[in-house]
Amino acid sequence: MSSISGQPQFRYTQPPSKVIHLRNLPWECTDEELIELGKPFGTIVKTKCNVGANRNQAFIEFADLNQAIAMISYYASAAEPAQIRGKTVYLQYSNRQEIVNNKVTADAASNVLLVTVEGVEAGDVSIDVLHLVFSAFGFVHKIATFEKTAGFQALVQFSDSEIASSAKNALDGRSIPRYLLQEHVGPCTLKINFSAHTDLNVKFQSHRSRDYTNPYLPVAPSAIDIAGQDGTKQEPESNVLLASIENMQYTVTIDVLHEVFSAFGFVQKIAIFEKNAGFQALIQYPDIQTANIAKQALEGHCIYEGGFCKLHLTYSRHTDLNVKINNDRGRDYTGGNIGTMSNQPSLLGPQPVPTPSATIHSYNSIPYPAISNGVSLPQVPQAAASWDIRSGAMAPLPVQLRNQSLPPHLHSQPFPPHLHNQMHIRHVAPPGVAPHMMPLPGQRSQQLLFPPPQPYGR
DNA sequence: AGCACA
């Protein structure tokens, strides 16, 4: 009986509400005019104007339902209709019970991004992976992650909104590269908005949040506890990895290690030594995050095919190796940090290891980064003498790193040149970063972003 | 002249 076909949805009567819906308002009606109209009937707690496609609707919310009823009742039988600037406005109860605070901010650019990772469960995407992905666009100051009904979300803080915009433009709607994810994890599509935040309040380094500008921030007790619950003793994270090698049938030189570990970022220093336990090596990265990635990717994998030279990685207690001279026991690739800005530590090594320029090429539409070619043909005299790497002996890498070609979205989205520049600048002097934490040459961060699928050749 | 914002 009430609503029959042909009639529009709006019924003649709305159930009463403290909120009154106004329509046919004059152009650019103000909140003050709404208040003038409504205040004879009661206390107005909120108004909202310029609503709707034509921006000629509005809401008035009274403190009390009876006040709204008074206004509607009055104009239902008043001689003069409600008017603003001489224009008749039509009133009815709103179908909402309150005016909800609206953020008309319309995605104002911010240095902080709100990232929603679709299609994942908690723990599918680590904070390190997010850091890796977003670091391609500039120094990431902080990351905070949280779980909501909407799913897994993260706030990613950059230096400024320009960098954040670059990241948003490049990554919104795209997916995290498969090889950065565990196999069981489905496609992780990123939905990115600007956050209203400008500075995240990260109190601890934990599995949920990181402050990359403050290396001295304490590690959250919760993070330690969780590690302990696994029953696995967990040494404190470090930028230096301790590698012990099992079943070392073939010589493992510093050069081989350098190539293997360079796939994940700039290797600053390497030292090798014999212990009664066997062969061990220390590999120093610029930061813990890079070490993390390398550790996760390489742990338990063999340098050579056939189960030879199996890597076991733990965090070293060192943070900065003391390599006095470059020889077959120790190597410093940092070039003594003299202001040459050289990004080519590999030049210090004896063999032509992939250069940063080759790395940059990997961001163009080459399915397999140039670096993998470089690494696949390592000229390592010592190793070659005992084991012909070029014959395909080196291979067993994590499946995630081997079998995946770069995702299409990454091919199609080479980072614009200006980004490289920006990134470089940002990396040179990220505010508040202790010198030893300073991210290394921008190109290295890019390399970091997408480790080559085939670091070892065949 | 007919219901926003998240």
Side-chain angles (χ1 to χ4, degrees):
Chain A
M1 311 289 173
S2 53
S3 63
I4 310 295
S5 65
Q7 283 296 34
Q9 289 299 338
F10 31 85
R11 293 165 291 180
Y12 185 67
T13 57
Q14 288 281 0
S17 165
K18 287 184 309 204
V19 182
I20 289 177
H21 175 225
L22 301 89
R23 54 189 199 272
N24 199 38
L25 291 164
W27 180 243
E28 289 181 347
C29 170
T30 65
D31 288 302
E32 287 70 26
E33 289 170 308
L34 295 175
I35 292 170
E36 283 303 311
L37 184 68
K39 75 178 180 187
F41 304 95
T43 304
I44 296 172
V45 299
K46 196 177 299 237
T47 60
K48 182 172 172 57
C49 56
N50 301 320
V51 165
N54 296 328
R55 320 217 107 220
N56 61 351
Q57 299 173 49
F59 299 95
I60 296 174
E61 178 178 340
F62 284 100
D64 189 86
L65 177 62
N66 290 327
Q67 297 166 351
I69 292 174
M71 185 174 185
I72 293 292
S73 302
Y74 174 80
Y75 284 113
S77 57
E80 293 284 313
Q83 293 182 337
I84 289 181
R85 291 185 227 165
K87 189 173 184 190
T88 298
V89 302
Y90 300 89
L91 316 180
Q92 66 185 149
Y93 298 115
S94 172
N95 55 21
R96 315 258 185 133
Q97 291 306 306
E98 60 182 8
I99 294 176
V100 27
N101 261 342
N102 98 17
K103 297 185 200 170
V104 193
T105 45
D107 262 17
S110 161
N111 63 318
V112 178
L113 297 177
L114 172 62
V115 180
T116 303
V117 187
E118 297 186 331
V120 301
E121 297 177 3
D124 284 349
V125 179
S126 73
I127 202 166
D128 298 304
V129 166
L130 291 173
H131 180 246
L132 200 58
V133 168
F134 283 89
S135 289
F137 302 90
F139 178 64
V140 173
H141 286 228
K142 301 175 186 178
I143 297 180
T145 64
F146 45 95
E147 196 87 16
K148 276 188 136 182
T149 50
F152 181 56
Q153 292 190 304
L155 291 162
V156 180
Q157 178 174 341
F158 287 101
S159 304
D160 56 58
S161 57
E162 283 76 22
I163 296 177
S165 296
S166 302
K168 179 175 182 292
N169 291 336
L171 297 176
D172 191 16
R174 299 178 185 277
S175 299
I176 295 176
R178 276 236 56 88
Y179 60 84
L180 292 177
L181 304 169
Q182 294 177 321
E183 289 177 44
H184 73 276
V185 178
C188 291
T189 305
L190 301 173
K191 288 294 167 61
I192 304 178
N193 292 296
F194 291 112
S195 165
H197 294 89
T198 57
D199 189 23
L200 305 179
N201 185 14
V202 175
K203 294 200 171 66
F204 299 102
Q205 312 285 17
S206 75
H207 59 294
R208 297 188 169 281
S209 62
R210 298 282 168 79
D211 182 345
Y212 301 99
T213 69
N214 183 4
Y216 304 112
L217 197 65
V219 171
S222 63
I224 297 172
D225 291 344
I226 285 176
Q229 287 166 6
D230 293 337
T232 59
K233 74 170 164 79
Q234 174 137 338
E235 63 277 276
E237 290 185 335
S238 167
N239 63 311
V240 178
L241 294 177
L242 172 63
S244 53
I245 298 184
E246 176 187 334
N247 193 19
M248 198 173 79
Q249 304 271 329
Y250 302 94
T251 306
V252 174
T253 64
I254 283 190
D255 297 307
V256 168
L257 291 170
H258 182 250
E259 292 185 357
V260 169
F261 284 87
S262 288
F264 305 92
F266 175 49
V267 173
Q268 291 182 319
K269 301 175 186 176
I270 298 179
I272 61 178
F273 50 94
E274 297 282 341
K275 266 198 159 183
N276 46 10
F279 178 96
Q280 292 195 312
L282 291 165
I283 298 96
Q284 175 175 336
Y285 285 110
D287 51 61
I288 291 173
Q289 290 70 39
T290 310
N292 250 326
I293 298 291
K295 180 173 183 290
Q296 288 174 28
L298 293 174
E299 168 58 33
H301 291 272
C302 301
I303 295 179
Y304 298 117
E305 238 172 24
F308 301 123
C309 302
K310 187 173 185 179
L311 286 167
H312 289 292
L313 299 172
T314 58
Y315 294 112
S316 167
R317 294 162 77 170
H318 294 86
T319 57
D320 191 18
L321 303 180
N322 186 12
V323 176
K324 290 198 172 71
I325 53 170
N326 288 324
N327 56 22
D328 59 350
R329 314 298 289 170
R331 204 69 59 80
D332 184 338
Y333 300 95
T334 63
N337 69 24
I338 307 303
T340 60
M341 294 305 293
S342 170
N343 298 329
Q344 308 190 12
S346 59
L347 292 181
L348 296 176
Q351 82 282 7
V353 176
T355 64
S357 63
T359 305
I360 289 174
H361 290 156
S362 72
Y363 287 83
N364 296 329
S365 52
I366 302 172
Y368 286 84
I371 185 173
S372 65
N373 298 332
V375 178
S376 67
L377 296 172
Q379 321 281 311
V380 185
Q382 302 97 315
S386 57
W387 182 261
D388 186 357
I389 297 172
R390 270 160 286 194
S391 69
M394 263 176 123
L397 239 218
V399 175
Q400 298 93 314
L401 296 181
R402 280 197 302 155
N403 291 346
Q404 308 288 340
S405 60
L406 286 179
H409 70 274
L410 292 174
H411 300 293
S412 60
Q413 192 86 23
F415 303 133
H418 74 273
L419 265 186
H420 296 286
N421 298 333
Q422 276 189 1
M423 176 155 38
H424 196 78
I425 292 167
R426 302 296 165 188
H427 278 175
V428 167
V433 180
H436 71 279
M437 284 291 289
M438 189 171 294
L440 278 165
Q443 289 85 346
R444 288 299 166 176
S445 284
Q446 292 167 25
Q447 172 180 345
L448 227 182
L449 177 57
F450 307 116
Q454 295 183 315
Y456 317 98
R458 37 177 67 170

Short mmCIF file of all heavy atoms in Angstrom, two decimals, chain A residues 19 25 74 104 106 175 200 203 230 232 276 370 374 386:
data_model
loop_
_atom_site.label_atom_id
_atom_site.label_comp_id
_atom_site.label_asym_id
_atom_site.label_seq_id
_atom_site.Cartn_x
_atom_site.Cartn_y
_atom_site.Cartn_z
N VAL A 19 18.19 14.77 12.68
CA VAL A 19 18.82 15.38 11.51
C VAL A 19 17.75 15.73 10.48
O VAL A 19 16.89 14.91 10.17
CB VAL A 19 19.85 14.43 10.88
CG1 VAL A 19 20.52 15.10 9.68
CG2 VAL A 19 20.87 14.00 11.90
N LEU A 25 18.41 24.36 -1.87
CA LEU A 25 19.08 25.50 -1.25
C LEU A 25 19.68 26.39 -2.32
O LEU A 25 20.00 25.93 -3.43
CB LEU A 25 20.19 24.99 -0.33
CG LEU A 25 19.73 24.27 0.93
CD1 LEU A 25 20.87 23.50 1.54
CD2 LEU A 25 19.14 25.27 1.92
N TYR A 74 6.49 22.86 12.27
CA TYR A 74 6.18 24.26 12.02
C TYR A 74 6.04 24.53 10.52
O TYR A 74 5.05 25.09 10.06
CB TYR A 74 7.28 25.15 12.60
CG TYR A 74 7.10 26.60 12.25
CD1 TYR A 74 6.19 27.40 12.94
CD2 TYR A 74 7.79 27.17 11.18
CE1 TYR A 74 6.01 28.73 12.60
CE2 TYR A 74 7.61 28.49 10.83
CZ TYR A 74 6.72 29.27 11.54
OH TYR A 74 6.52 30.57 11.20
N VAL A 104 36.39 16.48 4.23
CA VAL A 104 36.34 17.00 2.87
C VAL A 104 37.75 17.16 2.33
O VAL A 104 37.95 17.65 1.24
CB VAL A 104 35.59 18.34 2.83
CG1 VAL A 104 35.23 18.74 1.41
CG2 VAL A 104 34.33 18.24 3.67
N ALA A 106 39.56 15.44 0.93
CA ALA A 106 39.70 14.93 -0.43
C ALA A 106 41.12 14.52 -0.77
O ALA A 106 41.72 15.01 -1.71
CB ALA A 106 39.21 15.96 -1.44
N SER A 175 50.49 -4.86 -7.44
CA SER A 175 50.67 -5.95 -6.49
C SER A 175 52.13 -6.09 -6.08
O SER A 175 53.03 -5.77 -6.85
CB SER A 175 50.19 -7.27 -7.11
OG SER A 175 48.82 -7.16 -7.43
N LEU A 200 54.36 9.65 12.22
CA LEU A 200 53.90 8.49 12.97
C LEU A 200 54.62 8.43 14.31
O LEU A 200 55.79 8.81 14.43
CB LEU A 200 54.17 7.20 12.17
CG LEU A 200 53.57 7.18 10.78
CD1 LEU A 200 53.92 5.88 10.08
CD2 LEU A 200 52.07 7.37 10.84
N LYS A 203 56.93 3.79 18.82
CA LYS A 203 57.62 3.73 20.11
C LYS A 203 58.65 2.61 20.18
O LYS A 203 59.62 2.70 20.92
CB LYS A 203 56.60 3.55 21.23
CG LYS A 203 55.67 4.74 21.42
CD LYS A 203 55.04 4.72 22.81
CE LYS A 203 54.28 6.00 23.11
NZ LYS A 203 53.11 6.18 22.24
N ASP A 230 58.14 -19.10 19.87
CA ASP A 230 58.39 -20.10 18.84
C ASP A 230 59.26 -21.23 19.36
O ASP A 230 59.38 -22.26 18.72
CB ASP A 230 59.08 -19.47 17.62
CG ASP A 230 58.16 -18.51 16.92
OD1 ASP A 230 56.94 -18.65 17.07
OD2 ASP A 230 58.67 -17.63 16.24
N THR A 232 62.19 -20.98 19.24
CA THR A 232 63.45 -20.74 18.56
C THR A 232 64.15 -19.59 19.24
O THR A 232 63.61 -18.51 19.38
CB THR A 232 63.22 -20.37 17.09
OG1 THR A 232 62.41 -19.19 17.05
CG2 THR A 232 62.48 -21.49 16.38
N ASN A 276 86.72 -23.82 14.80
CA ASN A 276 86.70 -25.27 14.97
C ASN A 276 85.38 -25.84 14.45
O ASN A 276 85.30 -26.98 14.05
CB ASN A 276 86.91 -25.63 16.44
CG ASN A 276 86.04 -24.76 17.34
OD1 ASN A 276 85.17 -24.04 16.84
ND2 ASN A 276 86.27 -24.83 18.63
N ALA A 370 69.50 -7.05 -15.58
CA ALA A 370 70.83 -7.21 -16.14
C ALA A 370 71.79 -7.80 -15.12
O ALA A 370 72.70 -8.52 -15.45
CB ALA A 370 71.35 -5.87 -16.64
N GLY A 374 74.99 -10.58 -15.09
CA GLY A 374 76.33 -10.36 -14.56
C GLY A 374 76.67 -11.41 -13.53
O GLY A 374 77.77 -11.94 -13.51
N SER A 386 88.20 -24.71 -8.85
CA SER A 386 87.78 -25.95 -8.21
C SER A 386 86.38 -26.35 -8.63
O SER A 386 85.98 -27.47 -8.44
CB SER A 386 87.83 -25.77 -6.70
OG SER A 386 87.01 -24.68 -6.33
#
